[in-house]
Amino acid sequence: MKKISVIIPTYNRSGKLRGSVESVLRQTYTDFELLIVDDGSQDDTREVVEAMAIEDDRIRYIRQEINQGASAARNEGVRQAKNPLIAFQDSDDMWRRDKLEKQMTYWEMHPEYAMVYCPILVHVDKGYRVPDVDWRDLHGNLFRRLLIHNTIGTPTMLIRKKCFMETGGFDEDLRAHEDWDFALRFSRKYEIGYVDEVLVDSYYSPGGISSGVSAFYESMCRMIARYREPMLQYGVFDTVVGDVFSKAEQRGILQEVKSMLLYFLQQG
C-alpha cells in the first residue's frame, strides 16, 4: 500500500473540526498520517486536536503562531509530510468513507496521472448542489477546461508530493481561488485523473475558507489578469470575464469589479 499524508488547515474552527477529522480517520483506506495545521487559532483548537491524537496516533498537530491563511498552512503541511502522496481536507468538509480507497484503486489502474480528483457535493442553507459543470471527460490534459471553470476542489485532490513541490505549491498571496490557480499550474505540467463519483461533501458556512465576497472578486480579477494570455489564446477570455461580471451585477457591485479587473490587467 502506498502511504498518504492528509493535510487539514484550520483556523478558529474547533467546533466543526472533529467531524472533518473523523471523516478522514474512518476511511476504509487506512495507511495514512493526518497533519492538522493550526493557522494561529485563538480558540481551543490545540486542546481539541491533542485529545483526538490520544485516541488515534496517526494525527500530528502543527501550529503556526501567526495566521497566514489556508494556502500557507497547506504548504507547511506538505513540507512536513512524511509520505509520497498528499491529500487535502478542509476543516468544515466531510469525506465519504471510501474516498481514498476509490481514488487509490483508480490510480492503480491509471498510474500515468500525477493527481486524481472527484466531484464534490456542496451543501448550502436550503439544500445542496453539485457544481454546474459538464463532468464528462474531465481527465487527461485539463488546462484549457480549467481556464474556463475550476472543477478540482482542494478536498478532492490526491497528489504525488514530488509533483506538488515541482508545481510550487499554493499561492499564499491569493485570498481565494488558490485551488484554481494551483490546478491550472499543475495541469500545465501533468495529466490528471478523475473518479466519476461524489466522494466529498462540502458545507458552505460564513467564516469558512470558501467564504468572503471581497476576497472572491479580488482574487478572481487577479486570476483573469494572470492567465489573460492563455485565456485569449484558447478563446475563453470573454466567457470568463462575462461570468464574473454577471455575478457581480447580481450583487450590485458591477462597476467596482470592472474597475478592479482593469486595475489588475493594467498591472500586468
Side-chain angles (χ1 to χ4, degrees):
M1 295 174 68
K2 293 184 178 179
K3 295 180 180 294
I4 303 170
S5 292
V6 181
I7 296 162
I8 300 180
T10 188
Y11 175 65
N12 289 341
R13 307 288 289 172
S14 64
K16 293 192 174 183
L17 181 60
R18 179 174 285 275
S20 173
V21 170
E22 289 178 348
S23 79
V24 175
L25 296 178
R26 66 170 179 255
Q27 289 292 299
T28 54
Y29 190 96
T30 59
D31 200 358
F32 62 83
E33 63 171 351
L34 173 56
L35 286 69
I36 302 175
V37 185
D38 182 353
D39 189 28
S41 295
Q42 298 174 349
D43 60 5
D44 60 342
T45 292
R46 178 191 290 271
E47 290 76 14
V48 169
V49 175
E50 289 178 346
M52 289 188 288
I54 294 173
E55 301 169 5
D56 195 313
D57 62 8
R58 290 175 296 179
I59 296 175
R60 291 170 56 198
Y61 175 78
I62 300 169
R63 178 169 174 83
Q64 299 189 138
E65 293 300 330
I66 300 174
N67 178 250
Q68 302 175 56
S71 291
R74 292 189 186 106
N75 289 341
E76 180 60 22
V78 175
R79 283 190 289 268
Q80 297 203 33
K82 297 177 180 178
N83 297 326
L85 301 180
I86 300 294
F88 298 102
Q89 170 67 308
D90 285 344
S91 58
D92 50 2
D93 292 341
M94 302 285 285
W95 282 358
R96 300 192 179 181
R97 291 191 71 249
D98 53 359
K99 188 258 190 191
L100 291 179
E101 181 180 0
K102 288 187 174 178
Q103 287 184 304
M104 290 299 293
T105 299
Y106 175 91
W107 218 344
E108 289 175 0
M109 295 185 292
H110 302 279
E112 68 272 20
Y113 295 130
M115 178 198 298
V116 176
Y117 76 109
C118 62
I120 188 168
L121 188 67
V122 180
H123 297 254
V124 293
D125 290 342
K126 297 181 180 180
Y128 60 86
R129 63 181 174 85
V130 175
D132 184 17
V133 177
D134 181 358
W135 294 99
R136 293 171 298 176
D137 301 323
L138 288 183
H139 60 87
N141 186 338
L142 298 183
F143 182 69
R144 182 186 182 281
R145 296 201 67 165
L146 289 171
L147 282 171
I148 303 172
H149 186 91
N150 182 34
T151 57
I152 306 179
T154 309
T156 74
M157 296 177 178
L158 182 61
I159 311 172
R160 300 188 193 281
K161 179 179 177 179
K162 177 177 182 290
C163 299
F164 178 93
M165 300 301 290
E166 290 175 351
T167 302
F170 293 100
D171 185 341
E172 298 178 12
D173 292 328
L174 285 174
R175 297 198 295 154
H177 295 106
E178 69 277 8
D179 54 348
W180 186 24
D181 174 69
F182 175 80
L184 281 169
R185 286 185 285 113
F186 195 93
S187 65
R188 271 182 156 169
K189 296 171 64 70
Y190 306 105
E191 292 197 342
I192 299 172
Y194 170 66
V195 176
D196 189 15
E197 181 178 349
V198 172
L199 299 174
V200 179
D201 292 278
S202 177
Y203 294 86
Y204 178 86
S205 58
I209 289 173
S210 301
S211 65
V213 173
S214 61
F216 175 91
Y217 286 103
E218 176 190 332
S219 61
M220 192 73 206
C221 291
R222 292 181 65 179
M223 287 289 294
I224 293 172
R226 179 175 297 181
Y227 292 97
R228 169 173 51 184
E229 292 305 320
M231 285 181 179
L232 289 170
Q233 176 185 347
Y234 287 106
V236 300
F237 182 84
D238 290 344
T239 299
V240 176
V241 172
D243 182 62
V244 173
F245 285 174
S246 176
K247 289 183 172 65
E249 186 173 24
Q250 293 173 15
R251 289 186 174 271
I253 56 173
L254 178 58
Q255 292 307 314
E256 293 91 332
V257 172
K258 283 185 175 180
S259 297
M260 188 183 301
L261 177 58
L262 180 60
Y263 169 79
F264 284 114
L265 289 172
Q266 290 174 339
Q267 294 298 307

